[in-house]
Structures are given as C-alpha cells and as structure tokens.
Amino acid sequence: MFKKVKRNWYIPKGHTITDFDKKILSYQNRGKLVPTPKLIKTPEQIEGIRRSGVVNTGVLDLVEEKICAGMSTLEIDKLVYDYTTAHGAIPAPLNYEGFPKSVCTSINEVVCHGIPSEHEILEEGDIINVDVSTILDGYYSDASRMFIIGKTTPEKERLVKVTRECLEIGAQAARPWGFVGDIGKAIAKHAHRNGYSVVRDLAGHGVGLEFHEDPEVDHYNTHKDGMLLVPGMVFTIEPMINMGDWHVFVDEEDGWTVVTEDELPSAQWEHTFLMTENGLEILTH
Ligand code: MF3
Ligand code: CO
C-alpha cells in the first residue's frame, strides 16, 4: 500500500529551482510532510510579524504591571483593548469565530479560552493565564503568560514554573530541518517527570498572515514526525500542562471556556517563534 502524504512544495511556473527547493523536495520525496511555500515568510512579512509582536509584548507588560487581587477579568480586557487600539492595532480574539472579548483570561482549573467578565474577581492565590494576540497592519502575533495573584500554594507555584520550563525546553528541541514532533516529545518528557500531564485537545500553530495557520504544533508525544521545520516558518508553542489528568471539556454554556475534567489547576505559557538557520528566535519577547 502506498502511504499518501500531501505534496505541499511546488516550484511556481517560470521559477528556476534553487538549492532550498531541492532540499525541501528531497524530504517530500522521502514521504515527509513539508510546509507549503506560503508558510515560509519573506523578510518583509517577518518584519511585520515582529512589529506586531512588539505591541503584543507591550500589552502583556502592561497587564503584568496592573494585575492584582480584587481586579475583574473584564478590567484586564479593557486594558488590552485600550492599549492595543492606542497603538494602531486590533486585538485578534475580538469577534474571532464569535469570541466576544479582546483577550483570553483563564484562572486555576480553566485551561484556556476563558472569557473576561465583570463578575470574575481575581483572588489571592489564583493563578491566571492571560493570552494576548495582536493584529498590526494585517500581521498576527500571539503570546501568553501566567500570573500568580499574591501568594499561592507551593503546588500551584511549581506548576507555573514547570510549565514555563516546558515552553523553553520545547523551543530548544525545535531545530531547523528537524520536525514539529520533536517539540511535543521534549515537552511531554519534562511534564511527565514532574508528575504532570499534557493537554492534547489544543495545539500550537503557525501564525503571521492569519491567526491560525499550519503546522499544528502538538505538545504531547504523538510518536509522529509532523511537519518539517524550515527556516522562515513562524509558529507558536503554547503548552497547557495539568496538575492532574490531561482530559478537558468545553463549557457548554459559553462554548469557549476549556476546563480540566478533574478540576485540578492547569497552566500555560506561549510565545510566537521564527525558525532561523540557528534555531528558534522569539518574536514576542
Ligand atoms: N490565543 C489563542 C491561541 O493561542 C487563541 C484564542 S482564540 C479566541 O491560539 F478566540 F479564543 F481568542
Ligand atoms: Co496561540
């Protein structure tokens, strides 16, 4: 039986084949999944995504400065909206597939996609993920951080720290001309040795010209190569790590909020990265 792999790479009519093309085609001919030409960003596109990332980082820095106990998550949403629009940009989540707010705020057992609300007040000991995505001049960037409200338990503190390490270790595992599958393999190893599980139902993703592009970046060990990593690709890594079991569900009432099934806490850190000849560069520093 012939195993079918999408033949994503092609040489546009009238173009002469380069060594770069030949290298990608050699992987494709060996049955590997390779990016489409659109996933390799031009220097101009990379600059656009980088500038978008600067605004995105400004938003997260502002949230970091202001976030405190007693604040509602709707106040965070307002900070995000006001800063983003004052810098000539658009919050990417707003109206994205019907999402009603400008940012995702996910507290404790909420894994991701929490919707800001005036009724949700931050309390001492909460851990919260604030996930910010920005469109500037048509270019998308995406990053999230965890914040600890006041002092929390040693258990939650360790979850936040190890999840951050998972992002760093996943990023280090991503090598040019390596594979997306290397990322999840490294993340899962670090999570499991710390007694945690990795959420499977949500993944990192290509980003830049759209909010969500290929490739899908799984954070667990799929035991598959996944897509070839080629210099010029831009994508997120955003591991969601659970203190308990990896199973999650989506709140039926709002259709967005993702929660752990066992209601134990979850943490997430995210950056947008550019693949270079020397490994990943963070575009949302
Ligand atoms: N920021 C999320 C991500 O990292 C996507 C959120 S979609 C939204 O991919 F609509 F909830 F904003
Ligand atoms: Co993302």
Side-chain angles (χ1 to χ4, degrees):
M1 260 274 279
F2 243 61
K3 232 175 62 183
K4 268 202 195 134
V5 175
K6 274 193 233 148
R7 297 184 65 84
N8 280 339
W9 199 257
Y10 59 90
I11 315 296
K13 274 219 169 59
H15 282 227
T16 44
I17 187 163
T18 62
D19 286 345
F20 184 76
D21 290 316
K22 281 183 196 162
K23 191 158 178 180
I24 294 176
L25 287 170
S26 78
Y27 282 95
Q28 177 160 279
N29 291 337
R30 279 177 275 150
K32 302 298 187 186
L33 180 65
V34 304
T36 59
K38 200 188 159 192
L39 297 182
I40 314 295
K41 271 48 182 179
T42 67
E44 188 193 336
Q45 290 169 341
I46 290 165
E47 274 324 295
I49 302 165
R50 201 188 289 285
R51 284 199 308 273
S52 173
V54 171
V55 176
N56 204 74
T57 300
V59 175
L60 280 164
D61 287 345
L62 176 67
V63 171
E64 185 151 359
E65 193 187 306
K66 301 281 183 195
I67 201 163
C68 62
M71 194 180 198
S72 76
T73 49
L74 191 68
E75 288 173 69
I76 298 173
D77 185 71
K78 185 166 161 47
L79 285 176
V80 172
Y81 181 84
D82 289 348
Y83 183 100
T84 306
T85 52
H87 288 76
I90 303 164
L94 191 57
N95 302 319
Y96 175 77
E97 292 186 3
F99 192 80
K101 297 290 179 213
S102 297
V103 63
C104 298
T105 49
S106 306
I107 302 175
N108 299 329
E109 72 279 4
V110 177
V111 174
C112 64
H113 300 172
I115 304 173
S117 158
E118 62 173 318
H119 304 297
E120 190 174 51
I121 310 295
L122 294 177
E123 290 175 18
E124 174 91 10
D126 281 343
I127 59 170
I128 178 175
N129 175 272
V130 179
D131 191 343
V132 177
S133 317
T134 299
I135 316 171
L136 181 68
D137 301 329
Y139 294 109
Y140 289 76
S141 57
D142 189 1
S144 78
R145 297 181 195 164
M146 292 301 294
F147 301 108
I148 297 174
I149 306 305
K151 200 170 159 43
T152 193
T153 63
E155 288 81 12
K156 281 161 129 183
E157 211 174 287
R158 192 172 76 91
L159 176 68
V160 169
K161 175 175 153 280
V162 170
T163 303
R164 189 176 191 159
E165 290 164 3
C166 282
L167 172 57
E168 284 159 10
I169 288 165
Q172 277 164 14
R175 305 302 309 164
W177 310 104
F179 291 90
V180 165
D182 303 337
I183 299 169
K185 191 174 168 185
I187 289 172
K189 189 173 165 194
H190 191 63
H192 294 158
R193 67 185 291 167
N194 279 283
Y196 299 145
S197 68
V198 182
V199 173
R200 296 177 172 229
D201 301 37
L202 298 117
H205 50 91
V207 65
L209 310 185
E210 294 165 46
F211 199 169
H212 296 108
E213 305 176 6
D214 278 342
E216 180 180 308
V217 180
D218 285 310
H219 304 110
Y220 64 101
N221 190 354
T222 59
H223 298 280
K224 295 204 175 76
D225 286 335
M227 191 176 277
L228 180 71
L229 292 170
V230 176
M233 288 171 76
V234 176
F235 56 88
T236 74
I237 305 176
E238 47 183 300
M240 284 145 272
I241 305 297
N242 292 354
M243 201 179 277
D245 182 83
W246 61 268
H247 288 92
V248 300
F249 68 94
V250 179
D251 184 313
E252 276 180 32
E253 301 243 308
D254 66 23
W256 280 101
T257 310
V258 179
V259 188
T260 58
E261 254 182 35
D262 56 17
E263 291 181 31
L264 288 172
S266 182
Q268 177 179 32
W269 288 85
E270 174 181 23
H271 273 307
T272 295
F273 296 93
L274 167 68
M275 181 52 80
T276 75
E277 300 284 354
N278 306 306
L280 290 183
E281 180 192 335
I282 302 177
L283 298 182
T284 46
H285 236 143

